[in-house]
């Protein structure tokens, strides 16, 4: 396995006095696979969305160890690009322009790698939350990756296109439901659906990791150094690792999400897999190890 950190300086738009923006990415090369994580920017989330209801006495030293404080948190967004010589695959498409002003920068990150939208052959979704799905359509409601085969787990697609989801998901996430339903219905005849365990592409197997959403999928990439592309099943590198058994409010089913997370970390660590996480730091690619009764995330 070859793991490198790549940094790109995106030029300011012509004729505009705007500061240049620094984009960082990680590259993993293993066998015939080449994976890049690309920054879609970051989210700004209330701390209560990540830590609400957790035991304060035990939470406080964890946050201190990771220098986390304040009423809001900046959360990185890492979109994964896989190339194997035949396929050019995006796992998720970022936020697009309609979710948060700090995100929706995938097109700039792709440009830094000299990858055009028409080069993408497949788009594979982990789940339907805005930061993963809302970059599906452009400002004219046309698909951004118009030549790509789009793929999503059957259970996840059914959940977000169900008219009852908006009334059962809770007020804080109602906009998530409306945005997902509109985008998925616009693309319904172009999305191939798959089940848990499906080989979505050669060497890429879907694994149901429900809890964050009802049909959340992770993907195992069968390389010489096996890779677990975990999406949001492991949503951060602090509480998610030190106390994976804690139900957290960012998961739609917190109890199921905790069981899923604990099981994934056990497998990833025992099998010495490479982990890619959408919201993990420094490009999101690394290894895990057991530490102090829990786990920790190790970047290159």
């Amino acid at each position: 396995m070859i793991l490198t950190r790549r940094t790109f300086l995106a030029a300011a738009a012509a004729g505009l006095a705007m500061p240049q923006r620094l984009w960082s990415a990680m590259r993993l090369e293993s066998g015939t696979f080449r994976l890049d994580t690309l920054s879609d920017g970051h989210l700004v989330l209330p701390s209560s969305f990540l830590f609400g209801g957790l035991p304060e006495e035990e939470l406080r030293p964890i946050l201190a160890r990771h220098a986390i404080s304040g009423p809001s948190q900046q959360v990185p967004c890492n979109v994964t690009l896989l190339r194997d010589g035949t396929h050019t695959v995006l796992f998720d498409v970022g936020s697009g322009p309609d979710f948060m002003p700090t995100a929706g920068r995938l097109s700039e990150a792709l440009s830094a790698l000299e990858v055009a939208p028409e080069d993408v052959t497949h788009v594979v979704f982990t789940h339907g939350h805005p930061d993963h799905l809302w970059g599906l359509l452009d400002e004219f409601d046309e698909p951004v990756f118009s030549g790509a085969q789009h793929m999503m787990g059957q259970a996840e697609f059914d959940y977000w296109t169900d008219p009852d989801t908006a009334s059962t998901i809770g007020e804080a996430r109602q906009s998530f439901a409306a945005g997902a339903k509109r985008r998925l219905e616009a693309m319904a005849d172009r999305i191939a659906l798959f089940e848990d365990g499906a080989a979505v592409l050669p060497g890429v197997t879907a694994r149901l990791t429900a809890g964050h959403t009802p049909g959340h999928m992770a993907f195992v990439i069968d390389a010489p150094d096996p890779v677990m592309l975990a999406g949001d099943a492991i949503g951060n590198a602090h509480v998610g690792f030190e106390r994976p058994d804690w139900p957290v409010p960012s998961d739609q089913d917190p109890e199921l999400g905790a069981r899923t997370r604990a099981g994934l970390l056990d497998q990833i660590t025992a099998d010495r897999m490479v982990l890619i996480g959408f919201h993990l730091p420094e490009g999101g690619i690394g290894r895990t190890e057991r530490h102090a009764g829990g786990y920790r995330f190790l970047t290159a």
Side-chain angles (χ1 to χ4, degrees):
M1 177 186 73
I2 302 171
L3 183 61
T4 56
R5 187 178 308 281
R6 295 163 54 81
T7 302
F8 306 99
L9 192 62
L16 297 178
M18 296 174 63
Q20 293 183 320
R21 185 158 36 237
L22 191 68
W23 294 103
S24 294
M26 293 290 287
R27 171 170 294 169
L28 170 68
E29 296 176 81
S30 185
T32 60
F33 288 100
R34 172 176 157 185
L35 297 111
D36 291 275
T37 54
L38 308 178
S39 174
D40 190 50
H42 66 271
L43 306 181
V44 180
L45 298 176
S47 295
S48 60
F49 186 75
L50 302 175
F51 311 126
L54 299 182
E56 291 188 12
E57 290 299 316
E58 295 176 76
L59 175 65
R60 193 175 299 115
I62 296 175
L63 299 185
R65 278 194 291 275
H66 294 271
I68 295 170
S69 62
S72 65
Q73 305 300 322
Q74 290 191 8
V75 178
C77 298
N78 310 303
V79 174
T80 297
L81 176 73
L82 180 153
R83 287 174 282 184
D84 63 4
T86 302
H87 308 97
T88 298
V89 185
L90 278 175
F91 291 89
D92 298 326
V93 292
S95 296
D98 298 331
F99 186 46
M100 287 189 184
T102 55
R105 305 293 196 257
L106 178 59
S107 62
E108 296 172 50
L110 284 169
S111 293
L113 281 182
E114 299 183 343
V115 176
E118 56 268 25
D119 296 332
V120 176
T121 62
H122 295 78
V123 171
V124 184
F125 292 103
T126 61
H127 65 296
H129 278 166
D131 49 327
H132 299 255
L133 178 71
W134 282 18
L136 179 62
L137 303 176
D138 64 17
E139 61 269 30
F140 303 106
D141 279 355
E142 296 294 330
V144 172
F145 304 100
S146 58
Q149 170 68 72
H150 292 66
M151 309 174 76
M152 178 177 270
Q154 178 80 59
E156 189 73 359
F157 181 87
D158 290 348
Y159 175 75
W160 293 109
T161 55
D162 184 342
D164 292 334
T165 295
S167 61
T168 58
I169 197 172
E171 184 177 356
R173 290 185 170 97
Q174 283 181 345
S175 64
F176 294 13
K181 188 172 187 292
R182 180 175 74 79
R183 288 166 174 82
L184 291 176
E185 287 182 344
M187 290 286 291
D189 61 346
R190 304 179 63 166
I191 296 179
L193 304 177
F194 57 86
E195 302 288 349
D196 180 27
V200 297
L201 287 162
V204 181
T205 303
R207 173 169 173 182
L208 180 64
T209 45
H212 186 68
T213 61
H216 185 285
M217 287 285 183
F219 298 93
V220 178
I221 299 173
D222 184 16
D225 295 279
V227 176
M228 178 71 75
L229 197 156
D232 281 9
I234 304 170
N236 60 66
H238 33 79
V239 170
F241 281 79
E242 294 203 29
R243 290 304 303 263
D245 57 313
W246 279 355
V248 294
S250 55
D251 290 336
Q252 290 185 211
D253 184 333
E255 297 288 345
L256 178 57
R259 294 195 298 273
T260 294
R261 185 164 47 253
L264 270 180
L265 282 169
D266 181 68
Q267 178 190 355
I268 292 164
T269 306
D271 294 349
R272 300 184 59 80
M273 303 178 79
V274 178
L275 170 62
I276 303 178
F278 193 88
H279 294 303
L280 298 184
E282 298 188 41
I285 303 179
R287 299 275 192 177
T288 64
E289 67 178 15
R290 297 185 188 277
H291 179 72
Y295 302 85
R296 62 182 172 188
F297 180 61
L298 306 173
T299 58

